[in-house]
Amino acid sequence: KPFEAGNWFQPFQIPVTQKLEGTNTLVVGSESLKMGRDQDYMPMPFSGSGSVSASLAESMSFNGKVVLLEVNPEKSDRSRALFAQDRGAAAVIFVNPAKDSIDNFVSWSGRDFALKIPVIQIRRTAAEKLFGKDLQSNNPEIKLEVNIVRVFAETHNIIGVVPGKDMRLKDQFIIVGAHYDHLGFGGDGSGSRR
C-alpha cells in the first residue's frame, strides 16, 4: 500500500543543466582575464556561485584562500574541490598539467549538484604567466566572481509499505532503498553529497 495517504510518490528535485548568468569575472593581480571556451578560463560545471577576494593557499592552509590544483584525469575534480571546500577554501582554480599540450577545458555536458564555493579552470599558459612556471613563484591577490544558475526538474521516489501479519512483529520495519547515487551524478565512491 502507499506510504502516505494514497500517494506512492515522494517528489524531489534533480539538476538538469546549468548556465552562466550575470557577472562572471577573474582578476589576478592587475590582470583581467577573459571567460569563455576559447578564452582564458571557464567555471567548472559543479561550481558554486559567489564572489571571492583572496590569495593562493600555501601548503595545506586552505582557510579563506584560493586553492590551485592541477587537473588529474585519474581523480575526480569535483571530489578534490569538495575536499578543499570542506577545509575552508574560498575558491578552487584548476589548471591542466604542463604535459597536456591541448590545454582544453572540461566539458559542460554533465549535470551535477553545485559546491558552495566558486570553482574555475584556467588555461595553463595563463596560469604560468600569473603564478610562475612552477605555479608557485607568484601569489597575487585573486578577485573572482562566478554566477551559475541551475535548472532543476522534479522526479519521484516510490515508497510503499507491506504491513506485517505477525502480531508480535507488526510494529517493526524493514526498509529497502536505492543507494545514494541512484541518479549517477556522483564522483568517486559516490556518497553523492550536495
Side-chain angles (χ1 to χ4, degrees), residues 32-176:
S32 185
L33 284 83
K34 294 181 180 168
M35 184 192 71
R37 299 235 38 98
D38 298 325
Q39 301 295 330
D40 301 316
Y41 79 98
M42 278 293 294
M44 297 289 265
F46 51 82
S47 175
S49 293
S51 190
V52 171
S53 182
S55 58
L56 287 178
E58 296 177 14
S59 178
M60 293 296 282
S61 300
F62 292 175
N63 204 28
K65 302 288 186 177
V66 176
V67 176
L68 184 64
L69 298 171
E70 281 194 342
V71 170
N72 183 338
E74 309 214 353
K75 296 184 179 176
S76 161
D77 294 332
R78 184 180 189 280
S79 294
R80 294 171 68 215
L82 189 58
F83 177 88
Q85 173 185 285
D86 288 348
R87 278 142 193 85
V92 175
I93 297 176
F94 281 97
V95 62
N96 286 327
K99 64 183 181 211
D100 186 345
S101 60
I102 299 173
D103 205 14
N104 282 337
F105 294 124
V106 298
S107 169
W108 257 63
S109 61
R111 308 175 293 225
D112 213 335
F113 289 103
L115 272 66
K116 296 175 183 170
I117 60 173
V119 182
I120 66 168
Q121 184 180 6
I122 185 173
R123 291 205 188 277
R124 181 78 190 199
T125 50
E128 288 180 359
K129 179 180 171 189
L130 298 166
F131 305 116
K133 191 107 175 129
D134 63 356
L135 303 180
Q136 298 175 10
S137 300
N138 304 323
N139 195 352
E141 185 75 8
I142 299 165
K143 294 181 182 174
L144 170 64
E145 184 172 358
V146 174
N147 287 290
I148 296 180
V149 174
R150 287 192 160 60
V151 178
F152 289 85
E154 186 173 287
T155 189
H156 302 87
N157 284 323
I158 299 172
I159 303 178
V161 175
V162 179
K165 295 181 178 155
D166 184 302
M167 292 306 285
R168 195 170 44 93
L169 301 174
K170 73 177 191 146
D171 292 330
Q172 296 182 17
F173 297 90
I174 296 174
I175 299 172
V176 179

